[in-house]
Amino acid sequence: GTPAARPPGDCDAESGRGLFLVDSFSDAWGWHPLAGQLDGKVVWALFEM
C-alpha cells in the first residue's frame, strides 16, 4: 500500500516512526513500487544543503 507518515503517538513505541522522521528531516520524500516481479516499494528522500 501507499506509505504514509503516522502522527507521533506513544513516545515509548519502538516502531512506526520511520516515515515521520523522514518527513520531519527531509525537504521532500516519495516512493514507488519495485519493478518487475519483485514485491515491495522504494522510499526516497531529498535533503538540500
Side-chain angles (χ1 to χ4, degrees):
T2 302
R6 291 190 229 170
D10 183 3
C11 293
D12 295 327
E14 294 184 13
S15 66
R17 294 184 273 180
L19 285 179
F20 174 75
L21 293 172
V22 170
D23 188 50
S24 295
F25 292 114
S26 68
D27 293 299
W29 69 275
W31 72 281
H32 61 86
L34 290 174
Q37 296 182 15
L38 298 173
D39 190 30
K41 58 186 151 274
V42 173
V43 177
W44 58 265
L46 175 66
F47 299 89
E48 293 189 27
M49 300 178 95

